């Protein structure tokens, strides 16, 4: 067996600024011990002050840098004078210091003297070429050096650009890519060692050109952000909100540096208005309190967003800007939206064609320069800037020959890649497992991870399909139940798909099934419009039957003759949480936001969630311990609608068990869940429902009632919160007819859940809460 010499088990980060501390936090999230070093401040008695400050900054960061604040304990603060020798224990050493070449070279000279001979060495530089940093270092050091450019914030932005130099050992590159993808959970793009690498080179170019086109079209920043945001399949921060987040001065300097470092100075020329904003120093974005936008409060304390008038440099309250073109396409699928926006008439259409054509032309021009694969450019923009499709994928949507005709119509000279596409008449960059090289030659395309839509291109893999759900054959005897409705709200299609999967496993001899998907979220919960409509129409028999069916399907995840594995990610709320916690095993993405949130709409969990959490917490008690702490824990979790901020917190809250799996890379969870089904299947024995769950009866209700009274009187709970809380207490008590020593069955608790759910649904307070949530997206405190 070959020993892996580059296994990373301990790391060191040098530089405890915003990026360095956040990268250290992400390493800690992954369970990797980290040494965090910075310089010694001459007048500060605490020689580790900067490193400690970096850790505290990461702990206070919003959005949170740590998935669990306790993970900060994996970071050891230090300084470069006293602790440099400690680098000998690190398997990976990363610098995130000032962006000056001389400073980095001086650091590497020191590091080489203490680092062990198997340590991988990296720079997080966003612009300084990697090969320049290691000039003068030994061959052995250069062989173990590879660039590692994270995007801020490292926890949430999926992209990690890995930049090998001509001297980087292929084994080092291979080991580091595996570590970045599997341990840190990153999407890896192999970038060439050129100025700006991939994402910044193309992304900053796009911001610069959007500013030019905005002025030519006579649009405002908020109109541009409407046009270049989610409507176009891009991030909500769009163009100018992204600039505010990044800092206008940063974009200014990056654009200037790229203009100087490349033969493309005209491509990165900034408008006079942009220069004026940077030179003024008051409009640098969030760091100065305002850039293209500024947050303020109205007289009621409500946050308002003001927009900068680029002529007067005064902020204006323009309200919620709506662009008619965007409104006309917003409910259409992405492909239809993109086509409609690209072909639109008027100044908005002219602006979009100009911006999109710039992006297409420049991406094609950069193919083979910033990276040697088209998919790396697409993935860099998707993972680093939040695009749904990269530039080459978008050209496929529009038709490559159509884009080429538009570019030539603008009088542009085609880059070699597009010229080759024109000559061959090929209309797509990706087709049937094939793409093209930067020279336009056909080559095999390998997806960077398992992509469900690619599997489903083989129609035989879709075993059964409904409008809101499908059953897919994952091979090796494992099925996948895939939900694909809006927000994966749970309705008849989703429940029947689970029932169908159970039947297929039994009839066709499959090993078991995975419940998962690759949509935006696992599931945001129940179909509230349908529930409200039925309640308002007083269809109580239908609702009782529907809730009973829902309970039967959620609990079937456990009580079936074959294993089931849930693969939640993103939002796993309400019913989505209930399905997950009843599975035999959960493989959760590290970024899973799980919770039983029904009280927010005046309900309690009705699909076994209340029962399951009570059962789990009572099982965790030591023999002879009183039951009240378990009841209180379940009441607090459900009654305050706690949602985990990560899978690590979901484990602390009790939604994940110790044996459940947490995967740092969301793209791997379906494959891991499939492996788990196959591991559980041999000798699998169906569990039987519990009949011996201890409950407290009246004593539990009395304790909760007292707590609710205090919360209500203290202003922490509304009167209707208390009413919902009493229904929850009734279920957690096991029923008021029981005493402290009673034991009940799971079915008894499910019946109490259903009764409480229906009781609350019949109340005006609950119906008002549901209606308010549907209208505003926010809970009503009635």
């Amino acid at each position: 067996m070959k020993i892996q010499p580059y296994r990373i088990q301990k790391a060191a980060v040098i530089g405890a600024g915003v990026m360095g501390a956040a990268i250290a936090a992400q390493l800690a999230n992954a369970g990797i011990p980290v040494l965090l070093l910075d310089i010694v401040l001459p007048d500060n008695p605490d020689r580790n002050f900067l490193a400690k400050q970096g850790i505290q900054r990461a702990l206070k960061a919003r959005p949170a840098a740590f998935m669990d604040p306790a993970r900060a304990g994996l970071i050891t603060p230090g300084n470069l004078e006293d602790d440099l020798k400690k680098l000998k224990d690190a398997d990976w050493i990363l610098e995130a210091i000032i962006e000056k070449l001389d400073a980095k070279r001086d650091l590497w000279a020191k590091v080489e003297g203490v680092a062990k001979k198997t340590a991988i060495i990296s720079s997080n530089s966003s612009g300084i070429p990697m090969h320049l940093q290691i000039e003068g270092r030994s061959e052995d050091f250069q062989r173990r050096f590879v660039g590692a450019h994270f995007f801020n914030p490292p926890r949430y932005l999926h992209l990690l650009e890995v930049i090998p130099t001509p001297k980087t050992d292929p084994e080092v590159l291979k080991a580091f890519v595996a570590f970045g993808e599997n341990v840190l959970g990153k999407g890896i793009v192999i970038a060439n060692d050129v100025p700006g690498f991939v994402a910044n080179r193309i992304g900053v170019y796009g911001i610069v050109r959007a500013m030019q086109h905005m002025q030519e079209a006579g649009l405002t920043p908020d109109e541009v952000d409407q046009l270049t945001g989610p409507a176009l399949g891009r991030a909500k921060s769009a163009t100018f909100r992204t600039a505010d987040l990044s800092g206008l001065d940063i974009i200014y300097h990056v654009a200037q540096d790229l203009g100087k470092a490349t033969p493309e100075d005209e491509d990165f020329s900034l408008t006079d208005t942009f220069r004026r904003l940077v030179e003024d120093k008051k409009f640098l974005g969030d760091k100065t309190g305002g850039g293209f936008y500024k947050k303020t409060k109205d007289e009621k304390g409500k946050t308002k967003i003001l927009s900068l008038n680029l002529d007067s440099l005064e902020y204006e309250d323009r309200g919620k800007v709506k662009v008619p073109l965007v409104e006309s396409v917003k409910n259409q699928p992405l492909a239809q939206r993109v086509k409609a926006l690209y072909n639109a008439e008027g100044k908005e259409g002219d602006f979009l064609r100009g911006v999109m054509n710039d992006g297409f032309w420049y991406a094609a021009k950069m193919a083979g320069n910033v990276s040697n694969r088209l998919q790396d450019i697409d993935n860099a923009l998707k993972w680093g800037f939040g695009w749904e499709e990269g530039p080459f994928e978008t050209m496929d949507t529009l038709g490559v020959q159509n884009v080429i005709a538009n570019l030539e119509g603008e009088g542009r000279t085609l880059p070699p890649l597009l010229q080759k596409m024109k000559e061959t008449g090929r209309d797509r960059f990706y087709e049937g497992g094939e793409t093209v090289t930067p020279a336009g030659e056909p080559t095999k395309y390998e997806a960077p991870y398992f992509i469900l839509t690619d599997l489903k291109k083989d129609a035989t893999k879709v075993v059964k399909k409904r409008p809101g759900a499908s059953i897919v054959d994952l091979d090796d005897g494992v099925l996948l139940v895939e939900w694909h409705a809006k927000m994966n709200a749970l309705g008849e299609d989703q429940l029947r798909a689970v029932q169908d999967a159970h039947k297929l496993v039994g009839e066709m001899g499959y090993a078991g099934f995975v419940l998962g998907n690759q949509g935006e979220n696992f599931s945001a919960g129940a179909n509230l419009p349908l529930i409200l409509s039925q309640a308002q129409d007083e269809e109580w028999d239908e609702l009782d039957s529907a809730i009973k069916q829902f309970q039967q399907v959620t609990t079937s995840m456990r009580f079936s003759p074959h294993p089931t594995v849930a693969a939640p990610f993103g939002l796993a709320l309400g019913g989505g949480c209930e399905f997950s916690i009843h599975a035999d095993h959960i493989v959760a993405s590290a970024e899973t936001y799980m919770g039983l949130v029904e009280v927010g709409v005046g309900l309690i969990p009705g699909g076994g969630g209340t029962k399951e959490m009570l059962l789990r917490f009572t099982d965790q008690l030591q023999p002879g311990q009183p039951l009240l702490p378990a009841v209180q824990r379940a009441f607090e979790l459900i009654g305050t609608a706690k949602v985990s901020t990560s899978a690590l917190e979901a484990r602390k809250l009790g939604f994940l068990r110790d044996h459940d799996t947490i995967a740092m890379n969301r793209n791997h969870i379906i494959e891991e869940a499939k492996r788990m089904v196959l591991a559980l299947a041999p000798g699998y024995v169906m569990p039987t429902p519990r009949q011996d769950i201890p409950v407290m009866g009246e004593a539990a209700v009395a304790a909760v009632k007292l707590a609710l009274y205090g919360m209500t009187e203290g202003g922490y709970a509304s009167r209707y919160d208390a009413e919902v809380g009493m229904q929850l207490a009734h279920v957690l008590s096991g029923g008021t007819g029981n005493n402290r020593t009673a034991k009940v069955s799971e079915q008894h608790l499910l019946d109490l859940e259903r009764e409480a759910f229906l009781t609350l649904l019949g109340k005006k307070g609950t119906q008002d809460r549901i209606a308010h949530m549907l209208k505003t997206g926010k809970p009503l405190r009635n």
Side-chain angles (χ1 to χ4, degrees):
M1 179 178 174
K2 185 178 178 181
I3 302 299
Q4 171 55 263
Y6 302 114
R7 187 178 179 190
I8 298 173
Q9 296 178 299
K10 294 181 180 180
V13 175
I14 303 173
V18 172
M19 269 312 276
I23 293 168
Q26 182 64 5
L27 280 158
N29 288 336
I32 302 294
V34 191
L35 175 66
L36 181 62
L37 303 181
D38 211 311
I39 62 172
V40 175
L41 291 179
D43 298 325
N44 195 310
D46 187 347
R47 295 173 65 81
N48 298 336
F49 174 78
L50 288 177
K52 291 178 180 177
Q53 184 184 59
I55 296 169
Q56 289 304 309
R57 186 190 303 112
L59 281 165
K60 295 175 183 176
R62 294 294 178 269
F66 288 101
M67 295 177 181
D68 177 356
R71 289 290 168 114
L74 287 171
I75 305 177
T76 301
N79 69 78
L80 284 165
E81 293 181 19
D82 304 327
D83 303 308
L84 188 68
K85 289 182 179 179
K86 292 181 180 179
L87 293 177
K88 65 181 175 59
D89 296 322
D91 303 307
W92 178 42
I93 301 169
L94 172 80
E95 71 80 16
I97 65 171
I98 190 170
E99 285 286 81
K100 290 185 177 180
L101 180 58
D102 288 345
K104 294 182 189 293
R105 284 177 169 171
D106 289 345
L107 176 65
W108 294 138
K110 295 174 183 176
V111 168
E112 184 172 12
V114 295
K116 63 183 178 182
K117 296 302 181 182
T118 56
I120 297 175
I121 316 293
S122 298
S123 169
N124 181 58
S125 174
S126 60
I128 298 176
M130 300 298 163
H131 67 278
L132 295 180
Q133 297 186 38
I134 56 175
E135 285 181 351
R137 302 273 57 80
S138 69
E139 287 291 322
D140 182 62
F141 186 92
Q142 294 185 26
R143 182 179 60 80
R144 292 180 285 113
F145 189 92
V146 58
H149 180 219
F150 289 81
F151 279 66
N152 194 32
R155 173 181 167 184
Y156 300 97
L157 287 185
H158 192 51
L159 177 61
L160 173 57
E161 290 180 324
V162 175
I163 309 106
T165 75
K167 300 289 185 68
T168 303
D169 185 334
E171 287 298 313
V172 168
L173 179 63
K174 181 180 177 182
F176 186 70
V177 166
F179 173 76
E181 183 175 7
N182 298 324
V183 179
L184 296 183
K186 293 298 168 189
I188 305 297
V189 162
I190 304 298
N192 291 336
D193 193 13
V194 297
F197 311 127
V198 182
N200 280 342
R201 181 74 167 265
I202 296 173
V204 171
Y205 170 82
I207 292 174
V208 168
R209 296 301 300 157
M211 188 79 179
Q212 293 277 8
H213 287 292
M214 177 182 71
Q215 294 194 181
E216 292 168 6
L219 297 170
T220 63
D222 42 13
E223 288 173 330
V224 167
D225 279 353
Q226 286 288 308
L227 291 163
T228 60
L232 199 59
R234 300 184 183 179
K236 289 181 180 179
S237 56
T239 301
F240 294 111
R241 179 67 187 125
T242 296
D244 279 359
L245 290 167
S246 302
L248 274 63
D249 55 334
I250 301 298
I251 292 171
Y252 176 85
H253 291 303
V254 170
Q256 278 197 322
D257 291 345
L258 287 172
K260 292 174 184 176
T262 67
E264 303 152 358
D265 184 54
E266 72 282 359
D267 293 336
F268 290 95
S269 57
L270 293 155
T271 65
D272 291 339
T273 301
F274 199 101
R275 292 175 185 275
R276 187 159 53 120
L277 295 177
V278 174
E279 289 165 2
D280 193 288
K281 296 184 179 179
K282 291 188 304 186
F283 304 102
L284 301 183
D286 287 6
K287 66 176 72 177
T288 58
F292 290 103
Y293 302 98
K294 181 178 182 179
K295 285 185 180 180
T296 186
K297 302 269 189 186
D298 62 17
E299 60 277 3
K300 296 181 179 179
K302 187 177 180 181
T303 300
K304 289 199 312 184
I305 305 295
L306 305 181
S307 302
L308 184 65
N309 183 311
L310 296 179
D311 294 322
S312 67
L313 295 190
E314 297 289 334
Y315 286 101
E316 301 173 345
D317 183 1
R318 289 168 49 83
K320 189 171 183 180
V321 173
K322 290 189 177 182
V323 177
L325 175 59
V326 173
E327 294 299 305
S328 70
V329 303
K330 69 179 183 180
N331 292 322
Q332 297 176 11
L334 177 62
Q336 292 180 27
R337 296 200 308 270
V338 168
K339 289 175 183 177
L341 294 171
Y342 186 71
N343 295 310
E345 297 181 353
K347 64 180 183 179
E348 290 88 358
D350 292 340
F351 165 80
L352 279 168
R353 266 187 304 281
V355 168
M356 293 171 76
N357 283 339
D358 276 347
F360 298 148
W361 175 82
Y362 195 67
K365 182 180 176 182
M366 288 298 100
N369 182 331
V370 297
S371 183
N372 298 326
R373 303 189 308 173
L374 304 193
Q375 58 265 39
D376 279 336
I377 294 176
D378 278 339
N379 288 334
L381 274 299
K382 289 192 292 185
W383 296 339
F385 285 88
W387 294 14
E388 289 185 53
E389 289 184 337
F392 296 107
E393 293 169 323
T394 305
M395 282 190 268
D396 279 358
T397 296
L398 295 169
V400 175
Q401 297 305 320
N402 177 41
V403 171
I404 288 171
N406 271 280
L407 291 172
E408 290 186 319
E410 294 179 354
R412 298 175 187 254
T413 300
L414 296 178
L417 171 59
L418 292 182
Q419 182 62 42
K420 183 70 172 181
M421 295 291 282
K422 179 183 177 182
E423 292 169 3
T424 61
R426 182 170 177 142
D427 204 36
R428 293 183 63 86
F429 289 106
Y430 302 98
E431 189 78 63
E434 185 182 83
T435 184
V436 295
T437 67
E441 299 297 332
T443 185
K444 185 178 179 181
Y445 169 69
E446 293 185 5
Y449 55 88
F450 168 76
I451 298 176
L452 186 54
T453 52
D454 286 352
L455 178 68
K456 289 164 63 179
K457 287 175 182 175
D458 179 353
T460 64
K461 295 297 183 185
V462 182
V463 180
K464 194 161 188 174
K465 185 172 183 179
R466 297 176 180 273
S470 298
I471 300 175
V472 183
D473 189 337
L474 293 178
D475 293 325
D476 302 315
V478 179
L479 292 176
L480 171 73
V481 176
E482 177 202 11
W483 296 333
H484 43 69
K486 184 177 180 180
M487 295 295 287
N488 283 328
L490 300 177
E492 185 176 356
D493 280 352
Q494 290 70 39
L495 301 189
R496 289 199 178 278
V498 174
Q499 291 174 314
D500 291 341
H502 284 302
K503 187 176 180 182
L504 285 165
V505 170
E507 292 178 349
M508 306 299 291
Y510 286 94
F513 69 80
V514 173
L515 179 62
N517 64 80
Q518 289 184 331
E520 188 175 347
N521 292 289
F522 179 73
S523 174
N527 186 335
L528 287 177
L530 177 61
I531 291 173
L532 178 61
S533 173
Q534 288 181 300
Q536 290 173 335
D537 291 342
E538 299 186 354
E539 298 175 358
W540 303 118
D541 289 342
E542 291 85 347
L543 278 166
D544 182 58
S545 177
I547 299 165
K548 189 176 294 185
Q549 181 197 25
F550 183 53
Q551 291 179 338
Q552 289 169 349
V553 180
T554 55
T555 57
S556 75
M557 292 290 290
R558 178 166 305 144
F559 304 119
S560 63
H562 46 261
T564 64
V565 177
F569 61 93
L571 296 179
L573 304 178
C577 177
E578 289 176 302
F579 266 101
S580 298
I581 61 179
H582 281 95
D584 291 304
H585 192 90
I586 296 175
V587 177
S589 163
E591 298 295 347
T592 299
Y593 316 120
M594 185 176 281
L596 297 167
V597 297
E598 287 83 353
V599 296
V601 289
L603 296 168
I604 70 161
T610 308
K611 173 271 301 179
E612 183 64 19
M613 300 320 295
L614 177 64
L615 191 156
R616 288 188 181 192
F617 296 156
T618 53
D619 279 353
Q620 290 172 16
L621 296 173
Q622 297 298 317
Q625 260 189 291
L627 292 177
L628 186 58
V631 174
Q632 290 172 324
R633 186 179 173 190
F635 181 83
E636 182 184 358
L637 182 70
I638 300 168
T640 60
K642 281 191 177 179
V643 176
S644 70
T645 57
S646 69
L648 293 178
E649 189 180 18
R651 177 167 281 159
K652 277 190 167 182
L653 292 175
F655 295 126
L656 299 184
R657 297 151 296 190
D658 289 343
H659 69 264
D660 288 326
T661 304
I662 296 175
M664 288 294 288
N665 197 323
R666 163 177 161 174
N667 295 327
H668 294 174
I669 60 174
I670 289 180
E671 289 178 289
E672 182 59 35
K674 172 185 169 180
R675 283 193 287 270
M676 186 55 63
V677 169
L678 293 172
L680 291 172
Y684 181 82
V685 177
M686 181 175 73
T688 56
R690 293 274 295 276
Q691 308 293 327
D692 61 345
I693 305 169
V695 293
M696 292 180 63
E698 294 281 5
V701 174
V704 170
K705 188 174 183 178
L706 181 62
L708 282 170
Y709 176 79
M711 292 171 66
T712 305
E713 292 302 307
Y716 299 106
S718 70
R719 297 294 175 187
Y720 198 68
D721 287 334
E723 198 165 338
V724 176
M726 287 307 297
Q727 289 292 332
L728 176 58
H730 180 69
V731 180
L732 294 173
S733 72
T736 53
N738 291 304
N739 58 38
R740 289 177 180 270
T741 60
K743 291 187 177 181
V744 299
S745 67
E746 290 191 54
Q747 186 58 53
H748 176 76
L749 292 175
L750 288 170
D751 291 341
L752 291 177
E753 270 191 24
R754 190 171 71 256
E755 176 188 320
F757 192 96
L758 286 168
T759 298
L760 289 167
L761 198 50
K763 294 181 180 292
K764 183 178 183 299
T766 291
Q767 294 182 18
D768 287 347
R769 283 193 175 191
I770 296 174
H772 189 268
M773 178 64 75
L774 292 173
K775 183 178 180 180
T776 68
K778 298 177 181 179
L780 173 68
R781 291 296 303 278
N782 54 347

